[in-house]
Amino acid sequence: MKHEIIQPDGWAKPVGYSNGISARGRIVQVGGQIGWDADCQFHSDDFVDQVRQTLINIVSVLEAAGAKPEHLIQMTWYFTDREAYKSSLKDIGSVYRDIIGRHFPPMAAVQVVALMEDRAKVEIQALAVVPD
C-alpha cells in the first residue's frame, strides 16, 4: 500500500506540506538531525546550508533503515530564527525538492530559543513508514 495524502473537502490546498497522511508498514523514527556532517562538523553557519545538510542527514538515516524520502509521514522543524526561516522559504523549498523530492508529509515548524549545539540553526525530527 502506498501512502495516502489526506486533504479534507473544502480546505485550501497546503503548499510544501500536507494536512494528513495515511500509511501502513514498518515505522522508522529519525531523531533530531542538525546541519553538521557525519563527523559532527559544521561547514557553514548559513541557514539554508544547514537545512540542506540536515535533510541530507535525514535521508542518510532513512537509507540506513532501508527507507526512502517518499516514506516520510511526518516532519517537525525546529529553528532559532523565525525570520531567517520565513525569508529563506524559496531557497528552502528548492533544497527540499533536491534532496527529498516532491513528497510533502505533514509538517510542523517551531521557533525555539536555542538548540543543544550552539552553531545549529535548525533541527528536524522525522517519522517514516516503509510499506509492507
Side-chain angles (χ1 to χ4, degrees):
M1 175 182 173
K2 293 184 178 182
H3 296 73
E4 177 186 354
I5 300 296
I6 308 298
Q7 177 66 18
D9 290 338
W11 283 30
K13 185 176 179 186
V15 176
Y17 67 96
S18 61
N19 287 305
I21 195 166
S22 175
R24 291 181 198 221
R26 182 174 52 87
I27 295 172
V28 177
Q29 174 68 53
V30 180
Q33 299 297 308
I34 60 175
W36 62 17
D37 66 15
D39 295 319
C40 303
Q41 300 295 314
F42 287 95
H43 296 278
S44 176
D45 289 319
D46 178 76
F47 189 83
V48 175
D49 288 345
Q50 286 200 16
V51 167
R52 178 188 324 278
Q53 184 62 52
T54 301
L55 294 172
I56 289 169
N57 294 345
I58 289 169
V59 170
S60 294
V61 173
L62 291 173
E63 288 174 350
K68 299 178 182 177
E70 61 264 27
H71 297 139
L72 288 167
I73 63 163
Q74 182 179 358
M75 297 176 84
T76 304
W77 296 54
Y78 304 94
F79 42 81
T80 58
D81 185 342
R82 180 175 176 251
E83 291 309 314
Y85 174 81
K86 289 176 66 176
S87 67
S88 302
L89 284 174
K90 184 176 180 181
D91 293 330
I92 291 168
S94 178
V95 165
Y96 182 95
R97 289 185 303 277
D98 287 347
I99 297 166
I100 303 296
R102 293 195 168 275
H103 175 68
F104 304 104
M107 297 184 202
V110 182
Q111 179 179 328
V112 295
V113 173
L115 296 167
M116 295 308 293
E117 292 297 326
D118 290 337
R119 286 183 68 184
K121 296 183 182 296
V122 62
E123 182 169 341
I124 303 173
Q125 187 175 22
L127 184 64
V129 174
V130 182
D132 295 329

